[in-house]
Amino acid sequence: MMEDQVVADEDMVQEEEADDFQDFMEIDKLQAMGINAADITKLKQAGMQTIRSVQMTTVRNLSKIKGMTEAKIEKIKEAAVKLLPSGFQTGIEYSLKRRHVVKISTGAKELDKILGGGLAHTLCVMAQLPGSMGGANGKAAFIDTEGTFRDDRIRAIATRFGVDGEAALENISIARAFNSEQQMDLLVDVAARMAESGDYRLLVIDSIIALFRTDYCGRGELSERQQKLNQMLARLMRISEEFNVAVFITNQMCSDPAGGLTFVADPKKPIGGHVLAHASTTRLYLRKGRGETRICRIWDSPSVPEAEAMYQISEGGIIDAKD
């Protein structure tokens, strides 16, 4: 009877949390923040129906809407941030929000279990470990551009190293970026946090290029994209030097049409061109190996020779490949 009561109480708490949580916030709420109704109508006509959609749209694209001046756009962006804050938060705060994410099974329980994260998550926990365990005894910051961060992976990896999962999440600052401009703004925010705390030892951006590919389309905008990407990389290098933090960024690959003509076994190339290549100290290429193994190859580095290493992704994160 007591157990039934406890379960019932937990269900009531979850229902109350669900009632308080909103899946989205209507764009009409901007009017309460002083935004003109006519301007809200223009945003709707441009395909924006929620506050989040305003945050996802760059200033550059908002300026293409007829009648949208620079002053109006700035006011709209500020109002959106006040209604729906989108800066850094702790792993615990992020975890609370993740409770409201609707999870749909694949139909196979074992398949549901194996869908998880790997290298970036492992590094976020490793950065917190003492030096004797290969860590940096500090905090980590994670800028998520593709919705890849998972709090349950952090807990599992922390358990492997004998660290409390909640404490590990508390030591990770997470922010979700929805466009390349916001991604750049978050670097200003994270630099301020590092200056205030002095405990950060790792900055992860997963991935560096995704939002640039969305915001800048076609060859006509390639030059501008590369210039903006270069500015971001230069800022990352300054942050690394200024605060003595390791910067780990993930990139995307694309098929190389010319690769088949040169008889290359795996005709793929990293996106971002020379701008991204020259800004990176060491570049790694990760690919699937045989069975459960994966292969990490030194793609380019000024300090270490070209080499390969095998590893596996386990429930506890990255581990040595089993024989």
Side-chain angles (χ1 to χ4, degrees), residues 11-51:
D11 290 342
M12 287 178 65
V13 170
Q14 290 176 356
E15 288 177 5
E16 288 175 1
E17 288 180 351
D19 291 338
D20 294 336
F21 180 77
Q22 289 181 301
D23 287 325
F24 59 87
M25 189 177 292
E26 298 88 348
I27 199 169
D28 291 320
K29 291 188 180 294
L30 285 174
Q31 193 165 357
M33 304 299 291
I35 305 302
N36 190 286
D39 290 332
I40 295 175
T41 300
K42 291 176 183 177
L43 293 174
K44 288 182 177 180
Q45 291 172 345
M48 284 166 265
Q49 303 295 329
T50 66
I51 300 298

Side-chain angles (χ1 to χ4, degrees), residues 32-293:
M33 304 299 291
I35 305 302
N36 190 286
D39 290 332
I40 295 175
T41 300
K42 291 176 183 177
L43 293 174
K44 288 182 177 180
Q45 291 172 345
M48 284 166 265
Q49 303 295 329
T50 66
I51 300 298
R52 184 67 78 193
S53 66
V54 174
Q55 293 179 331
M56 291 177 173
T57 308
T58 63
V59 171
R60 179 168 165 271
N61 287 330
L62 285 173
S63 64
K64 295 178 182 178
I65 301 174
K66 187 176 180 180
M68 283 292 171
T69 64
E70 186 176 337
K72 284 184 178 181
I73 294 171
E74 184 178 352
K75 188 176 180 181
I76 289 170
K77 282 286 189 179
E78 288 177 354
V81 170
K82 289 178 180 178
L83 286 169
L84 198 60
S86 58
F88 281 94
Q89 56 189 322
T90 66
I92 293 294
E93 292 169 331
Y94 178 85
S95 176
L96 293 174
K97 289 186 178 180
R98 285 286 305 172
R99 290 181 184 179
H100 301 287
V101 174
V102 177
K103 296 182 180 179
I104 302 175
S105 172
T106 61
K109 291 182 179 179
E110 292 305 310
L111 182 57
D112 293 341
K113 288 181 182 179
I114 66 173
L115 297 176
L119 186 53
H121 291 73
T122 303
L123 288 174
C124 283
V125 176
M126 288 295 297
Q128 302 177 42
L129 301 179
S132 60
M133 296 179 66
N137 200 31
K139 296 181 178 181
F142 194 114
I143 297 177
D144 186 359
T145 70
E146 298 186 75
T148 55
F149 187 87
R150 295 291 180 268
D151 54 292
D152 53 340
R153 294 294 291 131
I154 295 296
R155 289 191 180 92
I157 295 167
T159 299
R160 168 191 166 190
F161 292 103
V163 176
D164 179 68
E166 303 304 304
L169 284 168
E170 192 66 39
N171 285 327
I172 304 172
S173 297
I174 307 140
R176 181 78 163 88
F178 296 101
N179 60 59
S180 56
E181 291 173 354
Q182 188 183 16
Q183 188 173 330
M184 181 71 86
D185 290 340
L186 286 171
L187 293 187
V188 177
D189 190 354
V190 77
R193 286 171 174 268
M194 289 177 178
E196 182 180 349
S197 171
D199 294 330
Y200 287 89
R201 291 293 174 264
L202 173 70
L203 171 59
V204 174
I205 301 183
D206 187 14
S207 75
I208 189 73
I209 198 70
L211 298 177
F212 284 95
R213 296 183 73 188
T214 302
D215 295 342
Y216 299 91
C217 303
R219 291 186 176 274
E221 297 182 343
L222 181 59
S223 176
E224 185 178 0
R225 185 194 82 175
Q226 292 301 91
Q227 289 177 14
K228 294 293 185 182
L229 179 61
N230 194 26
Q231 291 173 6
M232 176 167 290
L233 292 168
R235 183 168 292 181
L236 280 172
M237 292 172 71
R238 288 198 299 269
I239 289 174
S240 178
E241 292 285 342
E242 188 175 357
F243 300 106
N244 189 29
V245 298
V247 175
F248 177 80
I249 60 176
T250 66
N251 192 19
Q252 297 176 343
M253 304 287 286
C254 67
S255 298
D256 185 1
L261 302 176
T262 57
F263 303 102
V264 177
D266 191 12
K268 295 185 180 70
K269 64 178 182 180
I271 297 168
H274 296 298
V275 168
L276 190 53
H278 293 320
S280 306
T281 304
T282 299
R283 291 194 292 163
L284 308 176
Y285 175 39
L286 311 178
R287 62 184 174 85
K288 188 78 171 65
R290 291 182 179 179
E292 299 298 321
T293 64

